[in-house]
Amino acid sequence: MRKLTGAAFVSLDGVMQAPGGPTEDPTGGFDLGGWVFGVGDDVIDPVLGGLFEPPYALLLGRRTYDIFAAYWPFVEGEMADMGDAFTAADKHVVTDSDQPLEWANSHRLDGIAAIGALKLSDGPDLLIQGSSTLYPPLLAAGLIDELVLMTFPVVLGTGKRLFGDGTPPGTLRLIDQQVGAKGVIVTRWAPAGPVAIGPHPHPSTSAAEAERQRRMTEGRW
């Protein structure tokens, strides 16, 4: 089975929208695009080097695909090698649009079930880039094997979030962590089952707590 890793730049408040530039994704009036480059940190480079060590295949939502397809095949200079690598890699795009996928080695997927079938097929491991809308259903379906989160010391307040609407409750197991000199925290997580909920070790027996519980039951709290 292919391993599926989600790798994301995120703010302290969980926003992952438009880390790369002001015009990357202004959806919803987001005007803080490019926030990654306002911090930067040497801890990021070896992490990205490991993630993009061939062979790999990309798993993308349609909007992230459009962003990548308008940039990476045409990039020049020091980023040209990365552009060539992305072009050579298989790109699996989850979309219900009938618009053509013109970038070389692009393949259409029609939903989360198709991703499950893709994981069972032969081929390189899968890497999610961007694509915030994929995380809730993939987590709900148990299809993500590992999360690599590069958390930046910024609070953005608004924007598309990694754990957005529809994200199921669950526990994560920490695999590894690193802290950069400028405060970027790189963590690797594996899903570890449902949230364990236990009894309060020292429950209150006060009359005030009993009254508070009564008001909650009656919808007056």
Side-chain angles (χ1 to χ4, degrees):
M1 179 180 290
R2 304 198 205 192
K3 180 180 179 180
L4 175 55
T5 298
F9 300 109
V10 295
S11 67
L12 281 174
D13 54 340
V15 175
M16 59 181 293
Q17 185 170 351
T23 61
E24 181 181 329
D25 181 8
T27 303
F30 188 75
D31 60 0
L32 295 171
W35 49 271
V36 159
F37 297 105
V39 180
D41 203 316
D42 290 344
V43 75
I44 297 297
D45 290 340
V47 174
L48 296 180
L51 288 170
F52 295 120
E53 181 68 30
Y56 59 85
L58 297 176
L59 178 63
L60 307 171
R62 182 61 199 242
R63 287 190 173 180
T64 297
Y65 174 81
D66 286 345
I67 293 167
F68 276 31
Y71 179 78
W72 287 111
F74 310 103
V75 70
E76 299 178 345
E78 63 181 18
M79 301 302 293
D81 287 347
M82 178 62 78
D84 291 341
F86 279 174
T87 296
D90 284 322
K91 293 163 286 292
H92 301 280
V93 186
V94 183
T95 179
D96 56 8
S97 169
D98 59 2
Q99 294 297 311
L101 304 175
E102 296 181 344
W103 192 9
N105 301 309
S106 298
H107 314 282
R108 187 185 307 275
L109 296 175
D110 60 6
I112 298 302
I115 299 174
L118 179 64
K119 285 193 67 178
L120 294 173
S121 67
D122 293 330
D125 288 340
L126 302 163
L127 177 64
I128 306 170
Q129 288 288 278
S131 310
S132 61
T133 58
L134 294 184
Y135 283 95
L138 285 173
L139 288 166
L143 293 175
I144 292 181
D145 300 295
E146 187 173 314
L147 291 172
V148 179
L149 305 184
M150 292 158 277
T151 304
F152 283 66
V154 296
V155 175
L156 300 176
T158 187
K160 298 176 182 178
R161 283 175 160 77
L162 174 67
F163 300 117
D165 292 344
T167 300
T171 300
L172 298 173
R173 174 176 58 85
L174 181 64
I175 299 172
D176 186 36
Q177 63 179 328
Q178 305 171 62
V179 180
K182 295 184 178 181
V184 175
I185 303 171
V186 179
T187 49
R188 293 178 180 267
W189 304 90
V195 176
I197 300 175
H200 194 297
H202 305 288
S204 174
T205 58
S206 71
E209 174 62 14
E211 173 62 17
R212 188 181 73 89
Q213 291 291 331
R214 185 177 67 81
R215 292 201 307 271
M216 284 194 292
T217 300
E218 296 173 351
R220 299 189 296 108
W221 184 65

